[in-house]
Amino acid sequence: MTTHDRISTAGRAGQLLPGAVENLHAFLGAKLPRWAEASIEELVAAEAWPELNDRFYRYLEFGTGGMRGRTIGARPASAETGQVDAKGSPEHAAIGSNMLNDFTLIRATIGLFRYTRAHLERQGSKVAPRLVIAHDVRHFSRRFCELAASTWTQLGGQAWIFDGPRPTPQLSFSVRWLKAHTGVVITASHNPSHDNGFKAYFDDGAQVVPPHDRGIVQEVNAVPLAELGAFLNVKLDGVTTLGRDADDAYLAVAAQAALDPEVFRKTKLSVVFTNIHGTGAVHSLPLLLHAGCTVNPVSEQLDFDARFPTVKSPNPENAAALARAVALAEKNGADVVLATDPDADRMGCAVRTRDGRMELLTGNQIGALLAEYRLMKYKELGWIPRDGSRHVAIIKTFVTTQLQDAVGRGHGVKVINTLTGFKWIAAKMRGYEDKLRAAMGPDFDYDATPFRERARLLQLHSTFYAFGTEESYGYLPNDFLRDKDGNSACLMFAEVCAWVKGRGLTVPEYLDELYVRYGFFLEGVINIYYEGASGSAKIKRILETYRSQPPKTFGDVGVTRFQDFGRETIIDADGEKVPAQDLYFVTLANGYSFAARGSGTEPKMKFYIFAQENVSSVAELPAVKARVRATLDQLNHAIEADARARAEG
């Protein structure tokens, strides 16, 4: 029996999904390299049907973070594994239409090229499409970077790459700096080491949003497998490798995240920093050192390593990932621990308490502290009016703490809530930029205008973006680039810590000041993972039943409002319609609320729970915190139990 026959038989027996059968036949008929065919034959011969279903039941899709998937199979084939290198990378990325490998990456690059070329032609431009690519430290990241650049130039475009791993925020900046038409970063952020990704950016330096994302997907889906073989051999003759000036240009704008450099000169801050084997050390270390901080890096996590060998997950929001940094801080008495994820777009931290312990902060707490400090400092420095302004905005996602809404209201500025994903924050920024360009005329150079003058003009003619954040440890200080920036976040938060230390306070005490002023806010997150084809169906069931059978109660607490962002018209604080998305917002009778959505970058269902209670004094705060935490824990259990029941149908 041939491999084709075995696949067809497994499909008729229900062992292989219809999509897997179709894609397996297509891959075997596409004249793939021998190792790829041998890998499929090996898995079919072993009757590894669950593995083949996961690898082939669909093509990788763009979500809120682009295209992300496994590069190493849960059950690897010996032909694809081949000769493993010194850092543990197999010889080839795993075969599969639902895997990130040479074939799906080339397909994505061709689709992106054709969409970009067509977009330029619609604008009346005949220039060659320009692409800049960055990559992190993951398995196959350099291979994918060079393969994408090679494919792009062979198609007739112009491509730039860096000489080694670089962070996502530098890619966002470089798209604007180089006046590229599009950008790509090869990363899976803080996903497990077996994953990698392909994030697409457009000419404003932001991840693609409608209509561009849909257009790119259509072009990608139109690329036949038979076309891919011609691009498998990397040719870098027409590719430009960026030099030191690219790093210097990014560092110059990242340094402007510090609003008041005098703060660092008045108070010496001691920092422990870890890049958790990723790209953060390339820029975060020089930024902190140049600001005047004493910095001790975690030496055993400093080197690039795709395996992330010292952590279970390279995610700076997890206590385990920061354990070595916290231990070093305990040893040397540092004021703060700062950590970045593999592509340095996220930042996590631990701060010292009054009794000398190191305490981790959540992304919501960090964002609220940054928003409060930066609005206060902008007023103090005369950048924005003392009473606030409707022409100044902080931007956050709907699933980020409502403490930031209270901070914005307290300072008299607009608070814009967006869908999940920093690309939606960047889309608002582009709207503010476009409005100013229209007011200033065709000769106005937005990026060349000094930042303070740009802030003044935006307040006159548009809206000044003062700060943006999302709960998942992403922060952006200004509009020089258009994605979250872990490097500038390290500098921003170090400034807050130095200022707080100069007042004789600890960071948790400063956070308590916010709670007394605005109320106590506490958040919880539930992540329910469902891997593979069957897992995707479970996530879909949860989302569909939330729409068809909205929840009525959780325990003894009733639902007072149910918002379906996919069906209702939601208007933001700018008076603009929020794009439709499968996001549900549930308000409860006790004033708590939660949001439910499927992750766009990982195989999981996410729930974000929000609690709040007024606080009349500092003395009352401990009792309020305890009461809210107990109620939130009960609600967490009820929401998760309901979701798991829905998943099983």
Side-chain angles (χ1 to χ4, degrees), residues 128-424:
R130 298 191 293 270
L131 169 72
V132 57
I133 311 170
H135 68 85
D136 70 4
V137 305
R138 289 177 173 273
H139 296 297
F140 309 108
S141 281
R142 187 65 186 180
R143 162 71 180 178
F144 290 160
C145 170
E146 293 182 347
L147 189 60
S150 169
T151 300
W152 193 271
T153 54
Q154 289 182 66
L155 289 166
Q158 182 180 358
W160 293 274
I161 62 175
F162 295 89
D163 60 5
R166 290 297 191 281
T168 289
Q170 187 174 9
L171 182 279
S172 174
F173 168 75
S174 297
V175 170
R176 298 179 69 91
W177 181 62
L178 292 166
K179 294 181 169 50
H181 301 118
T182 187
V184 165
V185 61
I186 307 298
T187 181
S189 190
H190 56 263
N191 274 36
S193 61
H194 54 62
D195 285 358
N196 213 327
F198 177 102
K199 289 203 293 189
Y201 292 72
F202 224 58
D203 56 4
D204 61 342
Q207 290 184 56
V208 292
V209 295
H212 301 309
D213 58 352
R214 291 193 296 266
I216 292 167
V217 170
Q218 289 171 0
E219 289 287 358
V220 170
N221 290 341
V223 178
L225 273 171
E227 196 174 337
L228 307 183
F231 300 98
L232 286 170
N233 295 322
V234 171
K235 300 175 183 177
L236 296 179
D237 295 348
V239 176
T240 301
T241 300
L242 295 165
R244 175 66 182 271
D245 57 337
D247 289 313
D248 290 343
Y250 168 66
L251 279 168
V253 300
Q256 294 191 54
L259 292 179
D260 188 359
E262 280 298 312
V263 168
F264 292 108
R265 289 188 267 277
K266 292 175 182 175
T267 305
K268 197 68 175 177
L269 190 74
S270 175
V271 177
V272 166
F273 172 78
T274 178
N275 52 302
I276 320 179
H277 305 290
T279 60
V282 178
H283 301 105
S284 286
L285 279 176
L287 283 169
L288 292 166
L289 289 166
H290 189 263
C293 300
T294 299
V295 185
N296 290 283
V298 180
S299 58
E300 61 268 38
Q301 295 180 327
L302 199 55
D303 290 343
F304 298 151
D305 196 322
R307 298 165 296 184
F308 311 114
T310 63
V311 294
K312 183 177 180 181
S313 168
N315 187 344
E317 64 188 84
N318 294 340
L322 271 63
R324 291 177 186 241
V326 168
L328 181 57
E330 298 282 13
K331 180 180 177 181
N332 66 20
D335 299 304
V336 60
V337 166
L338 298 172
T340 53
D341 68 343
D343 64 322
D345 65 345
R346 301 171 194 260
M347 182 274 290
C349 72
V351 295
R352 196 165 293 282
T353 63
R354 177 58 64 186
D355 61 7
R357 294 177 298 105
M358 297 304 293
E359 178 180 298
L360 268 68
L361 298 182
T362 68
N364 281 312
Q365 292 170 329
I366 297 166
L369 289 165
L370 288 170
E372 171 69 20
Y373 175 82
R374 294 181 76 78
L375 289 172
M376 176 271 295
K377 187 60 72 171
Y378 271 132
K379 289 180 176 182
E380 180 184 302
L381 297 173
W383 284 57
I384 66 176
R386 286 270 177 191
D387 295 331
S389 168
R390 292 291 297 168
H391 294 281
V392 177
I394 61 172
I395 311 180
K396 57 181 280 290
T397 60
F398 283 102
V399 299
T400 297
T401 178
Q402 293 159 17
L403 174 55
Q404 291 176 33
D405 298 77
V407 167
R409 288 193 300 269
H411 281 280
V413 304
K414 278 190 300 190
V415 181
I416 309 295
N417 281 282
T418 73
L419 297 175
T420 306
F422 225 90
K423 64 183 183 180
W424 299 110

Side-chain angles (χ1 to χ4, degrees), residues 450-584:
F451 182 41
R452 182 154 189 172
E453 173 63 8
R454 195 160 74 226
R456 185 187 71 83
L457 292 172
L458 283 163
Q459 290 177 75
L460 279 175
H461 303 289
S462 182
T463 294
F464 170 53
Y465 166 89
F467 179 63
T469 179
E470 59 182 2
E471 51 77 37
S472 54
Y473 296 73
Y475 325 94
L476 181 62
N478 49 49
D479 65 357
F480 286 106
L481 53 120
R482 303 300 166 88
D483 205 352
K484 51 190 177 286
D485 187 347
N487 299 306
S488 64
C490 284
L491 183 61
M492 278 194 290
F493 197 71
E495 182 182 356
V496 172
C497 293
W499 179 80
V500 169
K501 184 179 180 181
R503 291 181 58 204
L505 297 176
T506 65
V507 172
E509 288 169 342
Y510 180 43
L511 184 59
D512 282 347
E513 287 186 349
L514 269 64
Y515 291 147
V516 173
R517 188 176 310 147
Y518 302 114
F520 178 63
F521 292 76
L522 184 66
E523 297 75 36
V525 177
I526 302 170
N527 292 307
I528 305 177
Y529 287 86
Y530 292 114
E531 297 277 356
S534 62
S536 179
K538 290 181 179 182
I539 292 171
K540 185 178 180 183
R541 266 200 301 275
I542 296 173
L543 291 169
E544 288 178 347
T545 59
Y546 253 78
R547 175 166 287 149
S548 62
Q549 304 167 48
K552 302 297 183 185
T553 60
F554 289 93
D556 58 356
V557 182
V559 173
T560 58
R561 189 181 184 193
F562 179 83
Q563 289 177 281
D564 183 342
F565 280 59
R567 298 288 173 83
E568 298 179 36
T569 298
I570 310 293
I571 304 297
D572 69 19
D574 281 328
E576 296 178 351
K577 183 179 177 181
V578 176
Q581 189 181 79
D582 283 337
L583 168 69
Y584 307 105

